[in-house]
Amino acid sequence: MKTLITERLTLRLVSVDDAPFILELYNHPDFYRFVGDKQIRTVEEARRYIQENMLHMQESKGVSLLVVETKADKQPIGICGLVKRDTLTAFDIGYGYLPHAYGKGYAIEAATAVVEFARDSMKIENLVAITNNDNIRSISLLEKLGFQFERIEQTYDNGRTLQLYTMTL
């Protein structure tokens, strides 16, 4: 994926220099709860995750999660981009943010840029998104973007459900 620019944000390819940020984001309690524990506990493990997962996906599938930075101070606040999971037929939009970025419209701004890139540059016709049934922020964002609930993808023992949303571009 290429760098995407919005009014307030820059979405750019991750690098190993982003390891401290990825370590912080991926170890935040909200990230654990809604995305899962990726077993990243050190900066070195974050570097390895960036190389073996994020950059590898970019190289092998042409898509990746991008680091979302505010233009004003060039500080990373989250990730947003496209993922191609082997378990799903369509490309998947993914995102996650640090709490200080919540409620400021950054997520919708970044996700809109990713959807437009998928449609206009990659000529993708359908996108999917997966979220927990209790992730109210994520469900709200997906609905604002125009995604529609399609089906329950998986149910967990703790009573939470993973839901699949779809969008035709």
Side-chain angles (χ1 to χ4, degrees):
M1 291 183 65
K2 67 174 192 164
T3 298
L4 305 176
I5 308 290
T6 70
E7 182 180 339
R8 301 179 298 159
L9 304 170
T10 300
L11 288 76
R12 62 165 176 79
L13 192 61
V14 67
S15 81
V16 291
D17 294 336
D18 292 306
F21 167 70
I22 294 299
L23 177 65
E24 178 185 7
L25 177 65
Y26 280 51
N27 281 287
H28 192 276
D30 283 353
F31 198 92
Y32 272 179
R33 180 175 172 205
F34 295 123
V35 179
D37 183 359
K38 303 296 184 186
Q39 301 295 314
I40 300 170
R41 301 292 182 263
T42 67
V43 171
E44 185 53 41
E45 289 173 344
R47 282 190 191 104
R48 189 169 34 257
Y49 183 86
I50 289 167
Q51 291 173 325
E52 295 175 3
N53 293 280
M54 300 170 91
L55 292 175
H56 177 73
M57 184 171 290
Q58 175 64 38
E59 292 167 13
S60 65
K61 299 183 180 180
V63 296
S64 64
L65 292 170
L66 303 172
V67 174
V68 179
E69 295 178 337
T70 55
K71 279 185 179 178
D73 61 11
K74 297 192 181 340
Q75 291 301 306
I77 58 169
I79 54 172
C80 184
L82 297 175
V83 176
K84 182 60 185 88
R85 301 174 200 271
D86 294 335
T87 56
L88 297 172
T89 57
F91 287 93
D92 177 2
I93 188 168
Y95 43 82
Y97 292 88
L98 291 172
H100 67 79
Y102 294 175
K104 297 180 179 169
Y106 294 139
I108 188 77
E109 189 173 330
T112 298
V114 169
V115 168
E116 289 172 356
F117 176 78
R119 181 189 62 227
D120 300 340
S121 297
M122 295 187 69
K123 307 299 183 204
I124 293 173
E125 296 179 5
N126 298 297
L127 284 178
V128 297
I130 296 174
T131 190
N132 292 342
N133 68 329
D134 62 343
N135 191 342
I136 304 306
R137 287 183 188 277
S138 183
I139 292 168
S140 175
L141 174 61
L142 293 173
E143 290 173 347
K144 287 177 187 173
L145 288 167
F147 281 84
Q148 296 182 347
F149 173 78
E150 183 171 304
R151 69 177 185 266
I152 292 174
E153 187 68 15
Q154 185 175 357
T155 302
Y156 294 102
D157 291 337
N158 61 11
R160 290 191 342 197
T161 302
L162 201 58
Q163 299 178 152
L164 180 75
Y165 287 76
T166 60
M167 172 191 236
T168 301
L169 302 180

